[in-house]
Amino acid sequence: MKLESSAFSANGLIPPIHTCDSHKGSALANPQDISPALIWDEPPAGTQSFALICDDPDAPGKTWVHWVLYDLPATTRELVESVPPTATLENGGIHGINDFGSLGYGGPCPPSGTHRYFFKLYALDRKLGLKPGATQAKLLTAMAGHILAETELMGRYARQK
């Protein structure tokens, strides 16, 4: 499988609209950032669902989780820009909780320097059946032994000062 985005290229810079900087100086009350569009190709035979994790291994102290999404239907091949931060998506996908303490996508917001953000897509041999709000740790535990394939897309970002 190959994972791509129309918003940024592999190893490229993530546009500010997909980060916390998109809210600078605005009156937007919604703390969620706009998730980038993602697209992927055919998964292996036997795929029953997909899971997605976006994290920042360069965060101080620990890897910071920006997005947890699971039980996406096996027929899914893309996520459109600005996935709503609802517990359950229209297609049946389920949001976990990120390290900002909310459901859905929380964009890059590094305290200093340029950080790397890994969007990791997993093709799974079953639906996981986790309730909304699962953590990355719970998702990884549930996926153990069920990953048929995985791919990732890395983007970079430094705060706009």
Side-chain angles (χ1 to χ4, degrees):
M1 290 188 314
K2 184 175 181 180
L3 180 62
E4 297 178 302
S5 177
S6 57
F8 62 96
S9 59
N11 304 313
L13 294 175
I14 297 171
I17 193 168
H18 303 294
T19 74
C20 66
D21 285 328
S22 66
H23 299 300
K24 258 188 177 178
S26 76
L28 293 176
N30 184 353
Q32 291 293 327
D33 300 303
I34 298 170
S35 62
L38 298 172
I39 188 166
W40 55 94
D41 55 10
E42 287 297 311
T47 298
Q48 297 298 308
S49 72
F50 293 101
L52 178 77
I53 295 171
C54 175
D55 60 25
D56 169 9
D58 301 321
K62 69 170 198 151
T63 297
W64 191 266
V65 178
H66 288 264
W67 201 3
V68 177
L69 182 59
Y70 42 92
D71 282 354
L72 287 164
T75 55
T76 307
R77 296 294 177 270
E78 69 177 324
L79 291 171
V80 297
E81 182 179 76
S82 194
V83 171
T86 55
T88 304
L89 302 180
E90 284 185 21
N91 69 4
I94 300 171
H95 267 130
I97 195 161
N98 59 41
D99 281 345
F100 295 106
S102 59
L103 294 171
Y105 175 79
C109 199
S112 64
T114 301
H115 287 216
R116 297 168 298 151
Y117 298 87
F118 291 87
F119 292 80
K120 303 171 201 171
L121 181 71
Y122 302 89
L124 306 173
D125 67 2
R126 69 180 182 114
K127 282 195 157 200
L128 300 174
L130 296 170
K131 292 181 180 179
T135 62
Q136 176 194 33
K138 284 183 182 175
L139 176 59
L140 291 172
T141 297
M143 290 192 314
H146 298 285
I147 299 171
L148 298 174
E150 60 186 277
T151 185
E152 69 182 24
L153 172 66
M154 189 271 288
R156 298 175 294 113
Y157 189 72
R159 295 292 303 273
Q160 310 282 306
K161 304 262 182 201

